[in-house]
Amino acid sequence: MAPYQFIERPSPFNTSAGKTLPIFAVTPAHIETGAIDPIALDWARKAGFKAESGAVLLIPSADGHLGGALFGLGGNPSEAPFLTGKLARALPPGKYHIETAPLTANRLALGYGLGSYRFERYKSAKGEPPTLLIPTDADAADIKRQLAGVFLARDLINTPTNDMGPEALEAAFRALATHYKADVSVISGEALLTQNFPLVHTVGRASAEAPRLLELRWGKKGHKKVTLVGKGVCFDTGGLDIKPASSMLLMKKDMGGAANVMGLALMIMDAKLKVDLRVIIPVVENSISANAFRPGDIYRSRKGLTVQIDNTDAEGRLILADALAYADEEKNELLVDMATLTGAARVALGPDLPPFFTDDAELAQDLSEASLSVDDPMWRMPLHMGYDKDVSARIADLTNAPSGGMAGSITAALFLKRFVTNTKSWVHFDIFGWAQSERPHSPVGGEAQAIRALYQHIGRIAK
């Protein structure tokens, strides 16, 4: 079965062995010592090519046509493991293979694939992309499923809210489930109240599209239960505590947690990992109307804890509270939640290094090792219980927006922790879900964060 594709796009890879143009991926040392093809070397020296990181030099053939390319890796290729992504945007159309490269075959091909991503759903002109031959010693099937998962997350985030509201996100969720023959259930609108998801209903009730809770089940009972929860706020105005216009520009990405857990679920199902998988996504649009929830309101959560609303723009933790409480009602081997939750996480670690929070030291170590092994960055942050008192409210059990403005990502994690009491191994990821600047392996736009590392970790525990 081919991996699920949300948007059909040409493959970045080719299978034309023996009919492809060579790319000589080289370091400055290769040029200095002459350790490459003599014709390519002669052209490089005449052109003054120094093999700087990411530099591309096209090589002519004897008859004046394109004969291949030189690609600079810089002095330390390990510092940019996915540098080959630059090739996918720099090469002219054609079929290529890498002739020499001091990189592992998997990173070489995965980097190229990641860098090949284009979001052209709304573009009228689409150019023909170059393609790369996957080396024979690379795991082509796994590379393609990882790309499919990453591209799904990017596609969902990049799609504007007029085409990715709650109804459209449900449709994408159902399409993914159908492809892998997973079971789906949806609780929508007023049924959220009768089935005890009051906070999901509260946040989403002002939208023209009903709030809903999406659930997917896949795998075999008796295998280790892995549950993924993703924040699905399709657009966040801030509610009555409305955001300024500049802060709303990227709020289509506030469903980045949902997009990322769907991308991770794709990888798990496509690889047929031996897990009992459950995916839960609360989906809302935080809108403004006469029935919008208000600052000062107090609502009872699914778990029974009451929450005082001190800022309607802290809505993500509210819908996650009900979803996590629901997930925690079953015995999980691993419970993961992902959310574009706080600006404080960006202040602490920036947009490219997502923090994670867990009180399971062994899990934290395993995730850190998985992160390093697949070059998918993340960083553990403390669940400092000294700040737990800040989550309490004067006339309710909890506040959704502690005062003081300090340690915001930690207090948000501590708020969520109140709703996970039965699961030993729980981890919360506070992701940004967006690439602020172009990198070799991704253009500006929606981004998958930490899911390749999580896929690596889940693959290890599923054996």
Side-chain angles (χ1 to χ4, degrees):
M1 178 188 298
Y4 172 74
Q5 301 287 336
F6 178 65
I7 294 176
E8 293 295 329
R9 49 172 52 88
S11 172
F13 304 117
N14 64 68
T15 56
S16 303
K19 300 178 183 178
T20 54
L21 296 172
I23 299 169
F24 300 95
V26 295
T27 65
H30 287 98
I31 304 296
E32 291 167 9
T33 61
I36 59 170
D37 177 83
I39 297 176
L41 177 64
D42 180 61
W43 185 255
R45 287 177 172 168
K46 286 177 179 177
F49 182 74
K50 302 297 184 184
E52 298 97 335
S53 180
V56 176
L57 178 66
L58 300 180
I59 304 170
S61 64
D63 58 2
H65 293 93
L66 179 62
L70 282 157
F71 181 56
L73 298 174
N76 189 358
S78 63
E79 291 180 350
F82 300 127
L83 187 64
T84 49
K86 280 197 169 185
L87 286 168
R89 298 194 289 276
L91 291 172
K95 298 179 179 181
Y96 299 87
H97 71 272
I98 301 234
E99 189 78 21
T100 58
L103 298 170
T104 66
N106 278 347
R107 277 173 172 75
L108 179 156
L110 182 61
Y112 184 90
L114 290 169
S116 75
Y117 176 83
R118 304 284 187 281
F119 185 72
E120 296 181 324
R121 178 174 175 178
Y122 301 94
K123 288 278 190 179
S124 54
K126 301 176 182 179
E128 182 183 350
T131 59
L132 186 74
L133 183 67
I134 298 178
T136 55
D137 53 341
D139 187 342
D142 199 55
I143 288 167
K144 290 175 181 178
R145 77 170 56 97
Q146 289 188 59
L147 290 178
V150 169
F151 287 7
L152 173 60
R154 291 176 177 177
D155 285 344
L156 293 173
I157 296 170
N158 282 326
T159 304
T161 308
N162 58 305
D163 286 327
M164 192 47 65
E167 292 176 4
L169 185 55
E170 178 187 334
F173 188 83
R174 287 185 180 276
L176 175 65
T178 298
H179 186 83
Y180 292 106
K181 297 179 173 57
D183 295 325
V184 168
S185 60
V186 176
I187 303 169
S188 181
E190 297 304 303
L192 290 165
L193 293 176
T194 59
Q195 298 193 45
N196 195 23
F197 294 96
L199 295 182
V200 179
H201 181 273
T202 293
V203 174
R205 70 192 186 199
S207 173
E209 295 188 15
R212 60 205 68 202
L213 187 94
L214 313 179
E215 184 175 4
L216 174 155
R217 291 180 183 265
W218 175 92
K220 185 177 179 181
K221 298 291 183 183
H223 289 161
K224 292 180 177 177
K225 179 175 283 294
V226 173
T227 300
L228 311 176
V229 176
K231 172 188 169 185
V233 178
C234 292
F235 194 85
D236 182 18
T237 65
L240 293 176
D241 289 311
I242 192 169
K243 295 176 183 287
S246 60
S247 297
M248 264 192 253
L249 289 175
L250 286 182
M251 281 302 99
K252 68 176 184 178
K253 78 174 183 64
D254 213 20
M255 40 64 71
N260 271 266
V261 300
M262 287 172 65
L264 175 55
L266 183 157
M267 297 180 196
I268 291 169
M269 293 187 292
D270 195 81
K272 298 180 174 61
L273 296 185
K274 294 181 179 179
V275 296
D276 181 2
L277 178 66
R278 190 180 181 205
V279 182
I280 301 170
I281 298 179
V283 180
V284 301
E285 184 177 351
N286 189 17
S287 299
I288 297 172
S289 73
N291 68 335
F293 71 121
R294 300 163 290 249
D297 285 355
I298 295 175
Y299 297 96
R300 190 171 299 278
S301 68
R302 179 179 182 86
K303 198 170 184 65
L305 297 170
T306 55
V307 183
Q308 178 174 303
I309 308 303
D310 287 320
N311 192 326
T312 62
D313 196 19
E315 83 299 331
R317 67 199 69 187
L318 297 175
I319 66 172
L320 286 172
D322 273 357
L324 284 170
Y326 178 51
D328 195 49
E329 290 165 10
E330 295 187 12
K331 188 174 181 179
N332 300 289
E333 179 76 18
L334 175 64
L335 173 56
V336 178
D337 80 76
M338 306 189 82
T340 51
L341 205 61
T342 70
R346 313 288 79 79
V347 172
L349 297 179
D352 300 338
L353 185 59
F356 68 93
F357 299 81
T358 182
D359 48 13
D360 185 333
E362 183 178 351
L363 173 62
Q365 180 64 33
D366 289 345
L367 289 175
S368 296
E369 290 175 359
S371 167
L372 290 172
S373 71
V374 297
D375 296 297
D376 193 10
M378 61 174 74
W379 197 263
R380 187 187 185 186
M381 293 281 275
L383 270 171
H384 179 54
M385 294 306 296
Y387 297 149
D388 190 60
K389 63 183 185 303
D390 298 335
V391 182
S392 298
R394 185 174 60 83
I395 59 172
D397 295 321
L398 301 169
T399 171
N400 78 322
S403 61
M406 294 189 179
S409 62
I410 298 176
T411 54
L414 289 169
F415 177 93
L416 298 179
K417 187 176 185 296
R418 296 289 190 98
F419 297 88
V420 182
T421 55
N422 300 317
T423 299
K424 173 182 177 291
S425 292
W426 162 70
V427 59
H428 159 62
F429 283 86
D430 191 337
I431 66 171
F432 189 53
W434 192 263
Q436 292 278 72
S437 57
E438 183 174 291
R439 296 169 292 176
H441 58 284
S442 70
V444 173
E447 185 59 299
Q449 294 185 305
I451 62 174
R452 290 188 301 103
L454 282 163
Y455 168 61
Q456 176 82 356
H457 171 69
I458 293 167
R460 288 173 179 172
I461 67 172
K463 293 179 179 177

